[in-house]
Amino acid sequence: MSKRMKNSLLFVLSLLLISAFLLIDLGGNVGYILPRRAIKIVAIIVTGSAIAFSTVIFQTITNNRILTPSIIGLDSLYMLIQTVIIFLFGSMNFLILNKNINFLLSVVLMMVFASLLFKLLFRKEGQNIYFLLLIGLIFGTLFGSLSSFMEMLIDPNEFQVVQDRMFASFNNVNTDVLLVSIAAFVIVLVYAWKYIKYLDVLSLGRDHGVNLGVDYDHIVKRLLIVISILVSISTALVGPITFLGLLVVNVAHEFLKTYRHSYLISGSIFMSVIALVGGQLIVERVFTFSTSISVIINFIGGVYFIYLLLKERKT
């Protein structure tokens, strides 16, 4: 089966799952239920596409298939922002209650952090990308430790609100925030489109890319900005889903068996939509909302991550 046929198969499967999610058990409340399910589907497509796209780019830049953009520390920063707001002002503050302001504040702070990090590390030409990962890992650990410290001090009722922010959820997506996320995603996608053609060369590594005439540092800096924006949008929209990108991109690699990023990106996006829609169906129909989709995705992704580590060790 050709790569085009495999991508078409993934597309059809994602459409079937979306149709099942929208139409199953509608009953006589079509006008009430269908629009709310449609909002969930749009949020799933935006979030899944952003995570899959950013992970493909990130793994290509780092030449490592067991890394995800969360290693930069943006997920931990998001949790720190939410924890600090509740710790200082309480869960009834407008910064928490107003989802539009909370979304914009989270995205802006994550983007400021990413911009300062990139500007600090890439002041000199030829800076090693792995130095960025090391610094991001340190900051991520620091942010996580600060969040845990404040969680120990706040009121248990307030901690419940913090805990809800730890797990991604598509159940109460704000329509205004979703529209802003869609617009931002489209703008970033249009900006990044001209750099996609270089990804096949970047996957060969820095030395080969430079020898083939690619302005490696320039392109990598721009792609890192794209990654940070996409991760910020998806995290602020529904919450952190740490292992989704790792899971879907590696499964897409194994299924498509190609280095061509034109196929990998689309295949990873379809895989991401399939995973999220399927996971949401399980949450709603099997577990009856007793758990969240991020718990399921992170469990499967964590097991798969251990498998990848063991596989890399053997090779």
Side-chain angles (χ1 to χ4, degrees):
M1 187 184 296
S2 67
K3 292 178 283 293
R4 192 182 298 272
M5 286 294 295
K6 289 181 179 179
N7 261 336
S8 300
L9 179 63
L10 292 175
F11 176 67
V12 171
L13 182 57
S14 62
L15 285 182
L16 290 175
L17 279 173
I18 289 173
S19 301
F21 182 85
L22 289 173
L23 303 177
I24 192 172
D25 196 23
L26 277 177
N29 299 318
V30 178
Y32 176 79
I33 297 176
L34 194 58
R36 283 157 180 77
R37 290 184 180 179
I39 290 174
K40 287 184 184 180
I41 288 297
V42 175
I44 284 173
I45 293 173
V46 173
T47 303
S49 301
I51 292 175
F53 188 34
S54 60
T55 304
V56 170
I57 298 174
F58 191 76
Q59 290 185 354
T60 298
I61 291 174
T62 58
N63 274 312
N64 195 319
R65 282 173 52 185
I66 63 173
L67 294 179
T68 65
S70 61
I71 198 173
I72 299 177
L74 293 178
D75 289 357
S76 300
L77 177 59
Y78 170 78
M79 281 309 307
L80 178 62
I81 294 168
Q82 304 304 313
T83 307
V84 167
I85 293 174
I86 294 174
F87 180 78
L88 294 178
F89 307 111
S91 60
M92 301 306 293
N93 188 268
F94 76 99
L95 293 175
I96 293 294
L97 296 178
N98 191 315
K99 292 185 178 181
N100 295 340
I101 294 179
N102 187 275
F103 173 81
L104 292 175
L105 178 65
S106 300
V107 170
V108 168
L109 290 179
M110 285 190 282
M111 284 305 306
V112 168
F113 166 73
S115 300
L116 292 175
L117 186 62
F118 298 155
K119 185 175 182 180
L120 175 66
L121 295 179
F122 289 105
R123 285 183 300 180
K124 298 180 180 179
E125 293 294 325
Q127 186 67 265
N128 195 324
I129 188 69
Y130 286 100
F131 187 58
L132 168 65
L133 304 185
L134 177 61
I135 298 298
L137 187 63
I138 293 171
F139 273 112
T141 304
L142 174 63
F143 295 152
S145 300
L146 291 174
S147 299
S148 299
F149 174 72
M150 283 183 283
E151 288 164 10
M152 295 291 184
L153 300 178
I154 62 177
D155 183 87
N157 295 322
E158 304 286 351
F159 174 73
Q160 183 63 44
V161 180
V162 176
Q163 193 175 41
D164 291 339
R165 302 298 173 112
M166 294 179 182
F167 305 103
S169 174
F170 296 95
N171 295 326
N172 297 304
V173 178
N174 186 294
T175 307
D176 296 335
V177 170
L178 182 58
L179 292 175
V180 173
S181 300
I182 294 172
F185 177 72
V186 171
I187 293 172
V188 172
L189 187 62
V190 171
Y191 173 78
W193 192 256
K194 60 183 177 180
Y195 297 112
I196 291 178
K197 61 185 178 181
Y198 296 109
L199 292 176
D200 292 343
V201 178
L202 293 180
S203 64
L204 300 174
R206 175 188 173 83
D207 294 338
H208 290 292
V210 172
N211 289 335
L212 290 172
V214 173
D215 189 352
Y216 184 88
D217 291 328
H218 174 81
I219 295 174
V220 166
K221 290 175 185 176
R222 270 70 187 166
L223 290 177
L224 284 172
I225 294 173
V226 168
I227 290 169
S228 61
I229 295 174
L230 292 177
V231 173
S232 300
I233 291 172
S234 61
T235 304
L237 179 62
V238 298
I241 315 179
T242 305
F243 286 107
L244 177 64
L246 176 78
L247 179 63
V248 299
V249 173
N250 277 281
V251 172
H253 271 285
E254 295 299 324
F255 182 67
L256 297 174
K257 296 189 181 301
T258 180
Y259 67 91
R260 298 284 300 276
H261 284 77
S262 56
Y263 294 110
L264 282 175
I265 291 173
S266 56
S268 298
I269 289 174
F270 295 145
M271 284 281 188
S272 187
V273 172
I274 290 169
L276 289 176
V277 176
Q280 191 65 26
L281 276 171
I282 293 173
V283 168
E284 295 185 8
R285 303 297 165 183
V286 178
F287 294 103
T288 60
F289 296 99
S290 61
T291 186
S292 66
I293 187 173
S294 61
V295 173
I296 297 173
I297 295 294
N298 288 339
F299 173 75
I300 298 174
V303 173
Y304 191 68
F305 178 70
I306 294 173
Y307 163 75
L308 289 176
L309 289 177
L310 295 175
K311 182 180 177 182
E312 289 294 323
R313 181 182 177 186
K314 289 180 180 179
T315 57

